[in-house]
């Protein structure tokens, strides 16, 4: 069995959050997985590699400056999976709990469990964004919002689409991603979670025949700040009157930039409480 290598970086959350965004945009990925941990006054990012990483090349790819502390060490064969899974603790978000197979017992009575296994599309440290989206959705449900059409844009693992399917059994739910592997994983997750009716497909943004001329009452867009801004006019056009879009995948310093882009389309913006340095916005269409 080949040795797994772990690179660990220590810095403030904002610095490592920027690095995570850079890593998310590299295709194909340069590492097996990366996880971001908020440790109070500081933060830690663990990155797993199939072979010993080149620290200089990694700093260039991630944007981490030379003064950011980095350690590199081989992982014992029996430990690296366990250590990776430690970063995937259950994510509680209102009535929802997002968990891996290793934590199935974490679902309490009355909670709605969403099982998503560890993998590149999940293990990016974006728990604050997924949790923010789920909490916003949970509060909408509590307020009586009952959308009949839902679109998960940039679905990743389809966790948000699955959440919607579990509480909106009569809704039409679509989920797309630019990455074919993510769409394949999404379809597997839908089957595993008992929500096979979700239509998962590959699409670049809103460019797909299934989306042409469509309007949705609820859109999830948990992607990155740049694509959110670029797609703002298209997302606004795809939102039905009275509809809502939950936006995430952006850092605190990017919230104003993204908010302005959606206000420019005529949507009303609500900025929610940041979670672990990540922002969630809710935009509504009159």
């Amino acid at each position: 069995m080949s040795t797994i290598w772990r690179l660990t970086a220590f810095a403030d959350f904002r610095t490592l959050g920027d690095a995570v965004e850079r890593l998310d945009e590299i295709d194909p990925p340069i590492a097996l997985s990366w996880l971001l941990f908020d440790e109070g006054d500081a933060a830690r990012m663990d990155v797993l590699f199939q072979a010993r990483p080149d620290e200089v090349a990694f700093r260039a790819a991630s944007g981490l400056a030379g003064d950011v502390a980095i350690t590199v060490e081989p992982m014992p064969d029996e430990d690296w999976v366990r250590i990776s899974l430690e970063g995937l603790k259950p994510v509680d978000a209102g009535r929802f709990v997002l968990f891996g197979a290793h934590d199935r017992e974490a679902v309490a009575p009355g909670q709605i469990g969403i099982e998503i296994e560890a993998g590149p599309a999940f293990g990016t440290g974006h728990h604050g964004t997924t949790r923010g989206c789920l909490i916003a959705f949970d509060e909408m449900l509590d307020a009586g919002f009952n959308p009949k059409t839902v679109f998960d844009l940039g679905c990743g693992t389809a966790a948000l689409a699955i959440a919607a399917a579990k509480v909106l059994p009569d809704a039409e739910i679509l989920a797309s991603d630019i990455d074919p592997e993510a769409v394949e994983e999404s379809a597997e997750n839908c089957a595993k979670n008992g929500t096979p009716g979700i239509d998962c497909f590959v699409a670049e943004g809103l460019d797909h025949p299934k989306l042409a001329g469509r309007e949705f009452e609820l859109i999830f867009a948990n992607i990155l700040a740049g694509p959110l801004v670029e797609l703002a006019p298209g997302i606004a056009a795809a939102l039905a009157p009275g509809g809502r879009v939950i936006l995430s995948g952006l850092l605190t310093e990017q919230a104003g930039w993204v908010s302005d882009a959606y206000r420019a389309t005529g949507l009303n913006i609500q900025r929610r409480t940041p979670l672990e340095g990540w922002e969630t916005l809710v935009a509504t269409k009159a």
Side-chain angles (χ1 to χ4, degrees):
M1 184 179 295
S2 60
T3 299
I4 299 298
W5 289 78
R6 179 175 65 174
L7 181 151
T8 303
F10 303 90
D12 60 273
F13 192 92
R14 178 179 298 180
T15 296
L16 296 184
D18 288 342
V20 164
E21 286 211 24
R22 285 175 176 262
L23 294 176
D24 286 344
E25 293 175 333
I26 298 173
D27 185 24
I30 65 171
L32 295 173
S33 68
W34 44 96
L35 296 164
L36 180 57
F37 303 88
D38 187 355
E39 300 186 332
D41 294 336
R44 184 183 97 243
M45 178 172 65
D46 284 351
V47 188
L48 299 182
F49 294 86
Q50 193 73 51
R52 185 185 181 99
D54 181 324
E55 181 181 328
V56 174
F58 178 79
R59 287 185 186 273
S62 64
L64 291 179
D67 60 349
V68 173
I70 283 179
T71 63
V72 177
E73 60 182 349
M75 302 299 299
D77 290 339
E78 68 275 17
D79 283 347
W80 77 270
V81 171
R82 174 184 59 80
I83 290 172
S84 178
L85 292 177
E86 285 176 355
L88 298 175
K89 295 298 184 184
V91 178
D92 288 302
R95 71 193 70 196
F96 303 105
V97 58
L98 187 66
F99 65 96
H102 59 291
D103 270 321
R104 284 176 179 157
E105 71 282 358
V107 182
Q111 283 187 308
I112 297 170
I114 305 166
E115 182 176 330
I116 304 293
E117 203 49 73
F122 181 86
T124 59
H126 282 55
H127 290 180
T129 68
T130 303
R131 183 167 178 253
C133 290
L134 288 173
I135 290 174
F137 180 44
D138 180 70
E139 293 179 0
M140 290 179 185
L141 295 170
D142 285 343
F145 186 55
N146 186 34
K148 299 300 183 184
T149 50
V150 179
F151 176 38
D152 187 357
L153 170 62
C155 61
T157 59
L160 300 174
I162 291 168
K166 284 180 174 282
V167 294
L168 303 169
D170 297 326
E172 178 190 10
I173 302 175
L174 278 63
S176 74
D177 200 284
I178 194 172
D179 182 359
E181 290 186 7
V183 172
E184 182 179 351
E185 182 182 355
S186 292
E188 293 173 356
N189 287 334
C190 291
K192 178 169 57 180
N193 281 275
T195 56
I198 297 171
D199 186 359
C200 301
F201 55 95
V202 178
E204 184 172 352
L206 295 159
D207 185 15
H208 194 280
K210 291 184 179 182
L211 303 173
R214 288 297 310 270
E215 290 185 336
F216 299 91
E217 295 176 38
L218 175 62
I219 298 175
F220 295 107
N222 182 17
I223 47 180
L224 298 173
L228 285 176
V229 169
E230 180 181 349
L231 292 171
I235 288 175
L239 202 60
R244 309 178 190 186
V245 56
I246 300 175
L247 308 165
S248 198
L250 54 146
L251 298 168
T252 296
E253 61 267 26
Q254 298 168 325
W257 177 40
V258 176
S259 295
D260 290 344
Y262 283 83
R263 287 194 184 97
T265 69
L267 301 185
N268 297 314
I269 298 290
Q270 175 195 2
R271 183 173 173 181
R272 303 181 55 79
T273 302
L275 294 174
E276 303 171 11
W278 300 97
E279 295 277 344
T280 301
L281 308 174
V282 175
T284 58
K285 189 171 187 177

